[in-house]
Amino acid sequence: MPKVSKIEVFRVSLPLVRVFETSSHRKAYLEHILVRVEDGDGAVGWGEIASPSDPYYCPETVEDCLLMVDRYLAPALLSADWAHPADVGAAWARIRGHEFAKAGVEMACWDLWCRATDLPLARALGGTRPEIEAGVSLGIERTVDDLLAQVDRYAAEGYRRIKLKIAPGWDVEPVRAVRTARPGLPLHVDANGAYTEGQSAVFTELDDFGLTMIEQPYAPGALAAHARLQARIATPLCLDESVEDLDRLDTAITLEAGRILNIKVSRMGGLAPARAAHDRAVAAGWQVWCGGMHEFGIGRAANVAIASLPGFTLPSDVSGSDKYYERDVVEPPIRAADGLVPVPPGPGLGHEVDEDLVRRLASAVMAW
Ligand code: OSB
Ligand code: MG
């Protein structure tokens, strides 16, 4: 008997409380796809496809994700037999890529199974932490003073580390200003692949600022260039965009293309592959932490759950949802207090989805 008997997706936009700019994009609102699955007994689970909307972070757009669900993932899930959500991914093992779409559908199955089993998602995944350490990711600002004001604000809220987006023309100067203002602050930078190896002198300069890591300096496929850079600077490199599956992680480990992995449930194609990446990276002696895609409450709750696994030893990008959204789609909203986000004790994602709000906000609904 197939486990899931009904699937609905909702295309939902939420305005950001502040424009977010990186080396690759500038956003005033975000559009994600919320996934609702139901089994024959009427149990419900929710997932989130945190599509980056445009093909600048990864190739998937919102439209690609909707097409994938419609043509491939929904039909595969509706005919799949599975006893445990770790096995759901087998239903689309032959489909290459499209990790974001797969992740949102897989997440809904974890939530469904956990609620039916009365188990918190964190526990089902093997999480051990009662709370997770949270950091924030700060976008590119118009001026260094604007950036310093953002740093002050989030440091005062108690966040455990601050990550600064950098891009050519916005790197050494803002980092020096933040470092000078806050000598002891745990700080790292994220280039989202904006540099070429010919620009590597920037990283020699950044190597002197005591950064915890430099995240994704080069393009996703440039693993050899990352390895050459790692061999000549002391600051650990962290990979994000480069690692979309375990094979690429294996290559990165073998090449010593970094020492730290940013694990995103979306980028890895689901909670089960994210957990597998955690296991493999930790076994290789890499440190890992949980990244984000500005998730709404559903995806954010899943991030909290995976970040409770023992190998997530560095603060996450999983800040309170109030950093991005005035009104989120779950109750209670996800909040950090003194830089800690509690792992909820309730079943599944541990937060209730405001289904009326989701239906009201949806610009498109599809059902299978
Ligand atoms: O590279 O980690 C990234 C947001 C969108 C796309 C890529 C990235 C990010 C972030 C923000 O850094 C993470 C978050 O706060 O959710
Ligand atoms: Mg990143």
Side-chain angles (χ1 to χ4, degrees):
M1 271 279 284
K3 181 99 177 156
V4 170
S5 53
K6 184 177 177 193
I7 306 169
E8 282 180 283
V9 300
F10 306 88
R11 186 172 175 162
V12 173
S13 281
L14 291 180
L16 288 167
V17 294
R18 184 181 179 87
V19 168
F20 194 91
E21 184 171 342
T22 73
S23 61
S24 62
H25 64 267
R26 187 180 161 81
K27 289 277 173 201
Y29 70 91
L30 286 172
E31 186 168 38
H32 291 177
I33 300 165
L34 305 180
V35 182
R36 182 185 184 278
V37 296
E38 204 176 308
D39 71 8
D41 302 325
V44 169
W46 284 88
E48 175 172 340
I49 301 174
S51 160
S53 301
D54 309 304
Y56 305 139
Y57 170 82
C58 71
E60 294 180 76
T61 64
V62 185
E63 287 77 15
D64 291 328
C65 293
L66 286 170
L67 187 77
M68 281 310 293
V69 175
D70 187 33
R71 293 272 295 273
Y72 299 101
L73 302 180
L77 184 60
L78 288 172
S79 59
D81 245 332
W82 50 274
H84 190 278
D87 302 324
V88 168
W92 45 75
R94 293 190 305 127
I95 301 171
R96 299 201 195 278
H98 302 284
E99 284 81 10
F100 278 66
K102 290 173 182 172
V105 179
E106 192 239 27
M107 187 187 299
C109 295
W110 277 94
D111 186 39
L112 172 76
W113 182 85
C114 286
R115 285 181 196 273
T117 318
D118 200 24
L119 198 63
L121 176 60
R123 185 111 56 77
L125 290 166
T128 51
R129 299 170 192 280
E131 63 211 354
I132 64 157
E133 278 197 295
V136 287
S137 172
L138 299 184
I140 292 168
E141 293 285 339
R142 286 182 192 284
T143 67
V144 169
D145 282 345
D146 289 347
L147 178 65
L148 288 170
Q150 292 296 302
V151 170
D152 283 347
R153 173 181 171 178
Y154 290 105
E157 285 187 26
Y159 281 104
R160 300 295 164 111
R161 62 95 170 120
I162 286 180
K163 144 172 153 182
L164 308 177
K165 292 290 186 180
I166 58 167
W170 179 267
D171 41 42
V172 176
E173 192 201 342
V175 173
R176 178 178 291 122
V178 172
R179 185 40 96 213
T180 304
R182 296 192 169 262
L185 179 74
L187 188 65
H188 90 246
V189 296
D190 184 2
N192 288 106
Y195 295 83
T196 63
E197 205 170 9
Q199 296 166 305
S200 73
V202 169
F203 303 110
T204 314
E205 287 190 70
L206 291 176
D207 205 20
D208 292 334
F209 291 120
L211 303 174
T212 320
M213 71 190 90
I214 296 172
E215 187 177 340
Q216 198 70 43
Y218 301 142
L223 286 174
H226 282 96
R228 286 188 287 271
L229 178 58
Q230 184 65 93
R232 80 173 179 76
I233 64 172
T235 309
L237 296 184
C238 168
L239 298 180
D240 176 354
E241 285 90 329
S242 286
V243 179
E244 293 185 324
D245 57 40
L246 294 181
D247 290 331
R248 269 170 272 201
L249 176 57
D250 190 29
T251 308
I253 290 168
T254 301
L255 290 177
E256 299 184 34
R259 297 184 196 138
I260 298 177
L261 180 64
N262 170 343
I263 294 180
K264 290 184 184 172
V265 174
S266 298
R267 197 196 65 232
M268 298 305 303
L271 288 157
R275 179 172 62 179
H278 157 275
D279 296 349
R280 189 172 299 191
V282 170
W286 284 38
Q287 282 194 286
V288 309
W289 57 280
C290 184
M293 292 298 301
H294 314 291
E295 282 84 355
F296 302 174
I298 296 169
R300 194 168 292 269
N303 290 344
V304 171
I306 193 96
S308 74
L309 267 67
F312 285 82
T313 50
L314 292 164
S316 67
D317 267 351
V318 188
S319 36
S321 62
D322 50 332
K323 176 174 186 283
Y324 293 120
Y325 308 106
E326 213 141 289
R327 175 84 172 87
D328 204 343
V329 297
V330 301
E331 281 292 335
I334 292 156
R335 290 283 182 271
D338 194 27
L340 295 172
V341 178
V343 179
L349 294 166
H351 295 258
E352 293 312 314
V353 175
D354 187 340
E355 190 168 328
D356 289 340
L357 181 68
V358 169
R359 290 185 187 278
R360 251 185 298 131
L361 291 175
S363 63
V365 183
M366 293 164 83
W368 298 267

